[in-house]
Amino acid sequence: GAIISVNENLCQVLGYSQQELLGRNHRIFKSCEHDSEFYQDIWHTITQGRVWYGEICNLSKSGEPHWLNGAIVPIMGEDGLPKKYLAIRFEITDRVQAMRELAESQRVFQDLTNHLRLVYWISDPEIRQIQFASSAYETVFGRSVASLQAGPPLQWLDAIHPDDRASVEAAAQVLRQRREVEAVYRIVR
């Protein structure tokens, strides 16, 4: 586990000099993002002579987390056993942070929609398939959101009263042109 060589790029990313890292154990980078099973899996993979691929969070000298994507490649000796390990990594911190922010935004949006008693949905541009519907849809329409999303294209029209479908389809046509429209219609629960 002792570091015997390190390139300048890693030093720049994690804020160490080469002299600070040479001879130190790789655990110097360990963060609290991963449990012991994660590290055991890496160790088991590379000691078996197999390449480990994945994402790992390392701590910089200042304690900041840096997400890296890459591989750890065992360098095999003449006896067929790993003698050294080569870690090749690319920083992906910005992508991981963006994904976490998106997940949080989606969670907040979901919480908001679950507490509103308004029925609304998000559809594809052609209004053929519903991609999201508020939970109030189930209460008002008496149909599950899952069945609405999993059903065939234009299934959402099944909930519109037959006498009102033509006017709803006309309103949908206006929406497809990215214009605002107001429609009043009855539904069949």
Side-chain angles (χ1 to χ4, degrees), residues 124 126-130 148 151-160 165 169 172 176:
D124 65 339
E126 292 298 312
I127 317 171
R128 296 179 55 79
Q129 196 73 41
I130 303 300
L148 177 67
L154 300 176
Q155 179 187 349
W156 62 272
L157 280 171
D158 292 348
I160 309 300
R165 281 191 191 151
E169 287 175 327
R176 285 185 192 102

Side-chain angles (χ1 to χ4, degrees), residues 5 31 37 54 71 84 98 121 155 165 181:
S5 179
S31 72
E37 288 181 27
K84 298 176 185 176
W121 55 80
Q155 179 187 349
R165 281 191 191 151
V181 67

